[in-house]
Amino acid sequence: MRLDRLLAVGAVLLVGVALAIACNDFSLHGNSDDDTALDEGSDDLYSESCSIDYGADPGCDVSNPGCQMAHMLNKDRFGHPAECDCAPVLQWDADLAAVAQAHSRDMCDRDFFSHTNPDGQDPFERLNEAGIHWVAAGENIGQASGYGVDESLVVIETSFMDEAECEQNHRSNVLSRNFSHVGVGVYKCGNGYVYVTQDFAALSFDELRQDPHEYCPSLSGN
């Protein structure tokens, strides 16, 4: 596996109540031509420390690669209860998924790799255009080549989670206690690249945490 690009951009805005926004992207290349099936396993993902079942059905069709990645996101939350500060189970949102899928396909069709598309739209403008009423949002994007779709999901998510703890990056989006909903778009391009877009959101101010984040004080607003 060769990491080709790694970029991170983040911002926090205050609009009455803390509104967390973070965007991150990366691109990598591998050397495998074969699909590797995701290990769905039969792990018990009930967190005793959080009293949350991270193995609960997020509400999507597991035959959809995006849904498979949503399960991976919740498994990552299960594996890091202190760092995610007992974040809720990410629930699948069809509208977020549609925006994410469209962006992954757009990156293929128009040959770019960025949160901002050639029309100048950033992730939050795309969510607004889709009529999604969000109060906090974040986006991770990944690009892999040399892998099948299933293996690309594993490699991309592993790369996200290999990043530093308690910093504004892909990992903090995955583990953010303020993100309760997710949509993931996965698109295999004719050039061999697999594009992944993860769009996270909180859909009401009641979902936002105001208490200090003990494990990651720098992320208390996230």
Side-chain angles (χ1 to χ4, degrees), residues 7-9 22-26 103 107 112-117 120-124 126 138-141 170 173 197-199:
L7 305 171
V9 179
C23 295
N24 302 285
D25 57 61
F26 84 104
H103 188 61
M107 287 191 288
F112 72 98
F113 182 67
S114 173
H115 295 288
T116 302
N117 66 27
Q121 283 186 316
D122 65 28
F124 316 109
R126 291 193 292 273
E139 179 175 272
N140 289 341
I141 60 175
H170 304 92
N173 274 350
T197 303
Q198 300 174 340
D199 281 335

Side-chain angles (χ1 to χ4, degrees), residues 188-203:
K188 185 171 184 177
C189 200
N191 61 9
Y193 283 101
V194 175
Y195 292 90
V196 170
T197 303
Q198 300 174 340
D199 281 335
F200 303 89
L203 303 180

